[in-house]
Amino acid sequence: QWRRILLERLDAVAAIYRVAASIAALRGAIGFRWYRALPMDASVVLPGGGVLAVVRQGATADRTGFAKRLWRLREGPDPGGVLLLAPDETRLRHARRLLATAPFPVLVALEREAVGAGPGRPVWRPARVRGALGLSEALAHAARGAALPREREPARATLPPDLDAATGPGTPGWLLPARLGPAGKRALNLIGDWPWIAPRDLAALLGCSRARASRLIVSLEALGLVARVPAAGGRLAATDRGLAMLARRDRTAVGLARSRWSPAPLDSGVAGGWREVRGRNSRQLLRHLDHTAAVHGFVASLAEQARAEDWQVVQLDPPRRASRYFRHGARVRSVHPDAFGVLRPDGEPWTFFLEWERRAVRPSTMATRLAPYLRYYASQRPTDDHGVRPALLVVLRDEVTADHFLRVARREMERVRVALPLWVSHEALIEDEGPFGGGWRAVDDHGGVAPGT
DNA sequence: CCGTAAGGCCAATTATTGTC
DNA sequence: GACAATAATTGGCCTTACGG
């Protein structure tokens, strides 16, 4: 049973073992225990008796589900100290906020940094105070005496069969993480992030040739993880099996992932019903396929141009991870951009939200579209969430509409006295020159920076 | 637009050789 | 025989060329 669960979570297991190995290298023989269903993934016992719980936040972890897991961590018996591995900067900040009032010491690190860092590099950030610690300091700070959590033994042990079992679609699900190489996993992650992506855009996001991407797609297809969906013009989506693999890796709910993202056809019988798929969100994206494709095109050429200019693409988030929820007065409000991203030229990172706004042509609609952003940027949250105020990029249908939008934005910003770091362009320009050209125009001189400058 | 074939490059691993 | 240095092999990732 254990072997199987750990194989399903193989990528998580690898990351956590790396951290555990670094700890052992510093402190000598450690105790170590995995958990199947407790809020922590594992616990480490240091030679002196200090205990640390390790929690990994997977890339597909959803906001509420993971918040709940952190909450259980606080409700349960004292975990000792907590080491949390976050998949990206945004969620690291979010997790820190959630644990700032926890009654135990918490250290948070980016997974990719924690896994590669030597003992001295300051990658571990305390939840409550600013700054960052190297692993040895982090251990001194966080490890404290606590009882090692216990989990009930599985009632039944079913050992998986021999490892060199079938390949292809016959490969059992729990073996997939071992069958796939890093490139295949990267491709699957991207297809999971951007359902209905075209191979061409996928290649751009992967940063490889179309031919290479095509081969990766073929091998993912052969394993039954990815499908070309006729209803989407042969564009790609992660199959139910692919979604399950990602969910198992990240300890998230398989059923929920499928109900949101399943590309399985749903023949409802109504006219145009061939475009129906089971997942709620993937269906939405499929219904507005041209909008979806436009956003894909934008992020794909952004990635391409960034590479050409030697900017590092740190993070490119699809809508589900680009949304931000915040308190405004008594109510919880939100923004739902089409994308969020972090690029890094030589120096400071540059962040942005994207709104691909095809529909807004009337002033009232434009004002409605802007309202959530005016609320968001009126608060401290943009800076809390990202360290800087991200640029807000809005792409309108054509030049006339863009002009129009700028006037409306200027008026609204004056009315509510909030300055948006707003940049406006339109579709034809983006298509011709890409995001880095794009002829972005600002409302006023708000001191922000347009893409590529 | 897309996929396939053939082959190059690179890093990791294994085998071989040389030295004490 | 133990160990280190070097060579050979392998597997993964990727590109260019080409064809539908």
Side-chain angles (χ1 to χ4, degrees):
Chain A
Q1 203 70 22
W2 267 112
R3 238 165 73 185
R4 188 169 188 134
I5 291 158
L6 293 184
L7 284 167
E8 279 174 346
R9 295 183 191 166
L10 196 59
D11 294 280
V13 164
I16 293 169
Y17 272 156
R18 292 287 289 270
V19 173
S22 310
I23 295 174
L26 277 172
R27 291 293 190 91
I30 56 169
F32 186 91
R33 184 177 290 173
W34 285 110
Y35 300 107
R36 192 178 66 86
L38 293 187
M40 64 284 274
D41 293 292
S43 279
V44 173
V45 188
L46 301 182
V51 172
L52 286 164
V54 185
V55 181
R56 173 183 178 273
Q57 179 176 26
T60 67
D62 51 40
R63 227 180 310 264
T64 44
F66 190 71
K68 184 101 186 272
R69 212 174 126 195
L70 293 184
W71 188 249
R72 281 204 295 139
L73 194 65
R74 301 168 66 146
E75 295 295 287
D78 184 6
V82 169
L83 300 180
L84 192 145
L85 300 173
D88 59 59
E89 185 70 32
T90 316
R91 282 181 289 178
L92 180 146
R93 286 167 177 273
H94 189 225
R96 266 183 88 206
R97 269 210 302 279
L98 290 174
L99 289 172
T101 56
F104 39 74
V106 176
L107 291 162
V108 184
L110 283 179
E111 180 175 308
R112 61 171 177 275
E113 287 186 357
V115 156
R121 218 166 89 206
V123 299
W124 293 97
R125 284 176 259 183
R128 240 158 311 190
V129 293
R130 295 169 78 84
L133 309 174
L135 186 59
S136 38
E137 298 165 289
L139 295 179
H141 174 264
R144 38 200 268 289
L148 200 60
R150 288 201 81 85
E151 220 176 10
R152 236 191 19 216
E153 294 288 314
R156 243 185 342 180
T158 41
L159 289 178
D162 285 345
L163 289 186
D164 43 53
T167 55
T171 309
W174 45 271
L175 261 191
L176 289 168
R179 283 270 190 267
L180 247 50
K185 285 173 183 171
R186 253 186 303 145
L188 179 59
N189 281 332
L190 284 169
I191 296 168
D193 272 356
W194 306 97
W196 319 123
I197 193 169
R200 174 203 168 78
D201 291 339
L202 179 67
L205 289 177
L206 282 167
C208 66
S209 69
R210 266 168 271 169
R212 172 65 183 147
S214 168
R215 292 188 56 156
L216 287 169
I217 293 163
V218 168
S219 70
L220 288 172
E221 260 185 314
L223 287 166
L225 296 170
V226 158
R228 287 169 228 272
V229 178
R235 289 160 168 270
L236 306 161
T239 60
D240 283 358
R241 185 167 141 96
L243 294 170
M245 178 188 154
L246 295 174
R248 295 246 155 75
R249 176 194 68 189
D250 294 340
R251 285 186 63 173
T252 55
V254 175
L256 212 54
R258 285 181 180 160
S259 73
R260 287 175 183 156
W261 304 109
S262 173
L266 195 71
D267 206 350
S268 60
V270 299
W274 58 278
R275 271 212 164 167
E276 304 273 286
V277 290
R278 190 162 308 156
R280 241 176 328 115
N281 300 3
S282 45
R283 182 164 60 231
Q284 181 74 7
L285 292 172
L286 183 53
R287 282 196 185 142
H288 303 111
L289 190 57
D290 50 347
H291 178 269
T292 305
V295 173
H296 291 174
F298 183 94
V299 291
S301 56
L302 185 74
E304 239 164 16
Q305 288 186 318
R307 231 180 304 276
E309 300 284 328
D310 246 3
W311 288 35
Q312 195 193 342
V313 180
V314 180
Q315 193 177 331
L316 267 182
D317 285 345
R320 78 188 84 158
R321 290 202 305 269
S323 56
R324 305 281 183 264
Y325 294 82
F326 56 99
R327 218 161 262 297
H328 184 264
R331 301 181 56 183
V332 174
R333 304 286 196 156
S334 53
V335 288
H336 297 279
D338 292 309
F340 168 77
V342 182
L343 305 183
R344 196 190 289 274
D346 261 345
E348 287 302 293
W350 178 82
T351 63
F352 73 93
F353 289 113
L354 171 72
E355 275 288 338
W356 195 276
E357 195 47 74
R358 194 162 265 176
R359 298 261 189 80
V361 282
R362 302 209 334 265
S364 60
T365 329
M366 291 178 175
T368 316
R369 290 276 181 271
L370 273 168
Y373 288 99
L374 288 165
R375 286 193 283 265
Y376 183 61
Y377 279 91
S379 70
Q380 269 305 307
R381 278 293 298 277
T383 317
D384 291 349
D385 286 341
H386 317 97
V388 290
R389 280 157 61 90
L392 175 57
L393 309 179
V394 183
V395 181
L396 282 304
R397 200 173 58 180
D398 50 43
E399 191 161 7
V400 177
T401 324
D403 276 346
H404 207 143
F405 189 86
L406 269 179
R407 280 199 297 278
V408 171
R410 194 168 294 139
R411 195 190 68 207
E412 290 298 303
M413 283 163 61
E414 266 165 29
R415 193 172 62 78
V416 298
R417 308 202 153 277
V418 174
L420 292 180
L422 176 69
W423 297 92
V424 174
S425 184
H426 60 90
E427 289 185 20
L429 261 177
I430 297 292
E431 224 159 87
D432 288 349
E433 302 174 14
F436 271 43
W440 296 96
R441 288 160 57 206
V443 188
D444 309 301
D445 183 18
H446 50 53
V449 182
T453 55

